[in-house]
Amino acid sequence: MNSDHSHPALRPIEAVPGVLIHPTADRRLASEHWLLATLPAPSRDRARLEWDQHQVTLLPLGTLFSAVRIPGRLLVALTGITEAPKLDQFLRETLDGGPVICDPRFRRYYALVPASMPRTWYQALDDWRAMDVDCLGRGSYLGVPRVDAVQWTRPRATYWSAPMDLPSALCSPVEVARLIAAGRHCMPAEPEA
């Protein structure tokens, strides 16, 4: 690993006897390695380079995690909130800190969920697809920002609306479904064609 991509290893800090606290840098590095594990080894350096140069890389879905696409308009209808930082806070609280990626260019959010979604999701998705909600899994790719891109910094720049604090700690599918169902009831009715 070259020095451009290496992170200094920080020693855990002992808060109280018997309890270790791992610094944010260690947790982010572990999350980065976990995310990159979706790629074959030769592609991981390319992904790191893309993170360095473009702040985002494409990762395949359906192996370690999948993603549920949630349109921003659904969240705005549910909350009445239009400011990105406040929507980010809402998602962190509502999804118990589960990781969510924001694509401000298309005003979409992607809740990272376990790779195998319950079958009941696919029945609900038939109704939800009309709202631009979808479950993306095997055969799909997602633009994943660097793990330290944890706030909106500029238009069109993908970032973690709710950061990934620990590897493999994902959103609960039930909580994501409840969020979507609640938002659906708040959406204005679509005019009939």
Side-chain angles (χ1 to χ4, degrees):
M1 180 184 281
N2 76 33
S3 61
D4 292 339
H5 302 295
S6 62
H7 299 277
L10 300 174
R11 295 178 187 241
I13 303 166
E14 191 168 330
V16 294
V19 176
L20 296 178
I21 298 174
H22 294 277
T24 301
D26 284 353
R27 291 193 312 270
R28 285 186 178 159
L29 182 60
S31 294
E32 178 181 302
H33 285 289
W34 185 80
L35 289 166
L36 291 177
T38 61
L39 296 168
S43 299
R44 293 176 192 161
D45 286 338
R46 175 200 46 81
R48 283 188 182 96
L49 183 63
E50 288 174 355
W51 271 338
D52 287 346
Q53 293 178 346
H54 307 290
Q55 311 298 307
V56 67
T57 192
L58 287 177
L59 295 180
L61 299 175
T63 54
L64 295 179
F65 61 92
S66 291
V68 176
R69 181 178 64 215
I70 305 168
R73 64 189 173 93
L74 183 139
L75 296 174
V76 170
L78 176 62
T79 64
I81 299 169
T82 57
E83 301 87 18
K86 290 181 180 178
L87 275 175
D88 297 343
Q89 185 61 35
F90 169 79
L91 286 169
R92 287 181 193 124
E93 292 170 5
T94 303
L95 299 177
D96 290 329
V100 179
I101 294 171
C102 177
D103 178 356
R105 180 177 187 183
F106 296 104
R107 295 192 45 95
R108 291 178 175 160
Y109 293 81
Y110 296 87
L112 302 190
V113 294
S116 58
M117 290 295 292
R119 290 185 187 271
T120 53
W121 262 87
Y122 296 100
Q123 296 164 354
L125 279 173
D126 290 338
D127 294 333
W128 293 346
R129 279 194 181 98
M131 300 181 307
D132 195 31
V133 171
D134 204 354
C135 184
L136 308 171
R138 199 170 288 281
S140 300
Y141 287 79
L142 179 64
V144 176
R146 293 167 44 132
V147 292
D148 61 352
V150 295
Q151 62 187 7
W152 184 87
T153 56
R154 63 186 194 277
R156 300 179 170 221
T158 302
Y159 70 98
W160 290 94
S161 179
M164 176 172 265
D165 285 331
L166 296 169
S168 76
L170 301 169
C171 294
S172 160
V174 171
E175 290 173 359
V176 174
R178 286 181 184 149
L179 173 72
I180 294 167
R184 178 177 184 228
H185 291 293
C186 297
M187 294 282 289
E190 296 285 328
E192 292 188 25

